[in-house]
Amino acid sequence: MFTLQQVKALNIEITSRCIGRCPFCSRDQKIRPYGNYSISLTDFQKLPQSLIRQLKWINFAGNFGDLSANRDMVEIARYISDMNNNVVIGGETNGSSQDEKWWRALGGFFNNGSMEFSVDGLSDTHAIHRIGTNYEKIIRNIKAFASGGGVAHWKFIVFKHNEHQIDEAELKAREIGCKRFFVIPSRDYNEELAQPEKIDFNIKRDIFHAYDNKAASSKDHAVCKPFANGSLYLAADGTVHPCCFAHCMYITEHNKLFDFLPPLAQQYYDVINFKTAPLEEILKGPYFTKIFKLSKTNAYCRMKCNKFRKTVKKELRIRDKFF
């Protein structure tokens, strides 16, 4: 049984809202209704204070939304910091919502963690993939975030239309105060968003499959993240899951290997919501108990959470520069 005292990390989808319309986003793969949800400060305060005090890190990176679409984000970060000033706070964002004042205030709470800003090119190419976002506004917001004390990282997803701009983008990242610039491939490509032609790289799914074959040949079981490092995923609607994959696969069901999860989520969805039920009861309940048991031999869990998962992340980076 997984207990509240074992939880040392949270991955939080603080909102399901996003102004971006990226073509390969999970938002466009939903087969179940999942509307506009947010975790408000009031919602967040329903989590046990003892939990907040014992956390080692919190990451604000959701399946369907962008943290900058939650107006309570600054107040939530302040609440966390006031209760536990040692916790490492991180996040991922397109950086195109809110103004510079908002981002400067948020930066003060991301000084020992980092914020990954997704900027896929320069002014003439960025929005080809990040449809609906504004490059110039993002650059201003990154500057403001960094000036407020935040550690900003620039994440660049490479395509044919922007591969020639990597060097210039790296220089821009350093200029505006980023502490890191890294380049990764897209999860998918198509005719409009084509693969880069001048860069040698492997597709994400191929890397995962290669290491999954190694794990399978060594007869390793999946290493479920809650058991391995005491982490949980909180979705914007309030539901609690062992990981982001569990929530995403229920809403999208786009991987048949994870076949045991959708029926479990469907059965227990109404009773695994921290906004309406105590978190400790959720962790002790049948949803988590059954997932932990079934995940040990599930092919999808093994592929995503085997002993090679950190190596996979390293191999995904085409370039990784710290300033």
Side-chain angles (χ1 to χ4, degrees):
M1 182 174 65
F2 190 54
T3 66
L4 188 66
Q5 290 70 34
Q6 291 175 274
V7 181
K8 303 301 178 185
L10 295 177
N11 188 16
I12 304 175
E13 178 190 55
I14 204 68
T15 182
S16 65
R17 297 180 175 91
C18 182
I19 67 168
R21 302 187 304 279
C22 305
F24 305 127
C25 182
S26 297
R27 295 173 64 85
D28 295 325
Q29 300 176 11
K30 293 181 288 188
I31 66 169
R32 288 186 173 84
Y34 191 68
N36 290 325
Y37 299 102
S38 285
I39 296 175
S40 66
L41 175 61
T42 301
D43 293 330
F44 196 86
Q45 289 171 335
K46 293 178 181 178
L47 295 170
Q49 293 188 1
S50 60
L51 170 66
I52 306 302
R53 295 191 180 100
Q54 74 192 29
L55 292 175
K56 301 298 183 182
W57 62 262
I58 298 178
N59 191 45
F60 291 96
N63 289 322
F64 303 104
D66 190 282
L67 64 85
S68 64
N70 187 326
R71 294 183 178 181
D72 281 359
M73 184 65 228
V74 174
E75 294 307 314
I76 290 171
R78 179 176 290 110
Y79 175 77
I80 294 168
S81 183
D82 286 345
M83 197 163 297
N84 181 354
N85 59 14
N86 292 317
V87 66
V88 176
I89 304 177
E92 298 178 17
T93 181
N94 61 44
S96 197
S97 294
Q98 310 299 341
D99 59 17
E100 293 167 70
K101 180 180 179 181
W102 189 91
W103 281 102
R104 188 174 295 108
L106 188 64
F109 304 107
F110 284 75
N111 52 13
N112 60 351
S114 64
M115 182 73 74
E116 291 181 6
F117 288 85
S118 298
V119 193
D120 302 334
L122 299 174
S123 60
D124 59 333
T125 58
H126 165 75
I128 295 174
H129 176 232
R130 300 282 170 179
I131 299 169
T133 67
N134 184 300
Y135 173 84
E136 298 298 343
K137 183 176 183 179
I138 295 166
I139 296 302
R140 292 194 299 269
N141 286 341
I142 293 175
K143 288 180 179 179
F145 179 83
S147 71
V151 177
H153 293 175
W154 180 320
K155 180 176 75 174
F156 186 114
I157 296 181
V158 65
F159 299 91
K160 179 181 177 180
H161 66 260
N162 65 12
E163 63 180 322
H164 64 289
Q165 297 178 322
I166 290 177
D167 290 339
E168 188 176 351
E170 180 184 315
L171 292 173
K172 187 68 173 180
R174 183 195 292 266
E175 174 192 324
I176 64 176
C178 292
K179 299 299 184 183
R180 182 189 182 196
F181 174 83
F182 66 103
V183 181
I184 63 172
S186 174
R187 68 168 72 170
D188 288 299
Y189 291 99
N190 59 24
E191 290 187 6
E192 183 178 357
L193 297 168
Q195 292 188 37
E197 296 180 340
K198 300 178 181 179
I199 296 174
D200 185 24
F201 72 99
N202 292 314
I203 297 291
K204 183 177 181 178
R205 64 173 63 89
D206 293 338
I207 297 174
F208 269 110
H209 282 303
Y211 281 99
D212 179 49
N213 290 335
K214 291 184 180 181
S217 63
S218 62
K219 297 182 180 180
D220 287 332
H221 292 308
V223 183
C224 192
K225 289 178 69 176
F227 279 146
N229 61 16
S231 65
L232 290 177
Y233 181 80
L234 307 184
D237 63 355
T239 54
V240 184
H241 307 269
C243 62
C244 66
F245 300 117
H247 179 244
C248 187
M249 291 302 165
Y250 172 66
I251 301 299
T252 65
E253 275 194 52
H254 67 258
N255 196 304
K256 294 181 180 179
L257 293 177
F258 212 26
D259 57 354
F260 77 89
L261 188 282
L264 283 179
Q266 180 75 48
Q267 183 178 0
Y268 296 111
Y269 212 75
D270 292 339
V271 296
I272 57 171
N273 195 311
F274 81 88
K275 296 179 183 181
T276 56
L279 180 60
E280 190 164 18
E281 290 184 8
I282 295 172
L283 299 183
K284 293 178 180 178
Y287 178 64
F288 272 79
T289 301
K290 292 179 180 180
I291 284 181
F292 289 156
K293 180 180 179 180
L294 294 170
S295 67
K296 293 179 181 179
T297 55
N298 177 260
Y300 186 84
C301 292
R302 186 191 64 215
M303 181 173 63
K304 291 295 185 180
C305 288
N306 59 54
K307 66 181 181 181
F308 302 109
R309 62 186 183 275
K310 291 184 179 179
T311 304
V312 171
K313 288 184 178 180
K314 289 181 180 179
E315 289 205 12
L316 280 172
R317 298 173 198 141
I318 297 168
R319 179 181 297 189
D320 198 357
K321 183 69 70 68
F322 287 84
F323 308 125

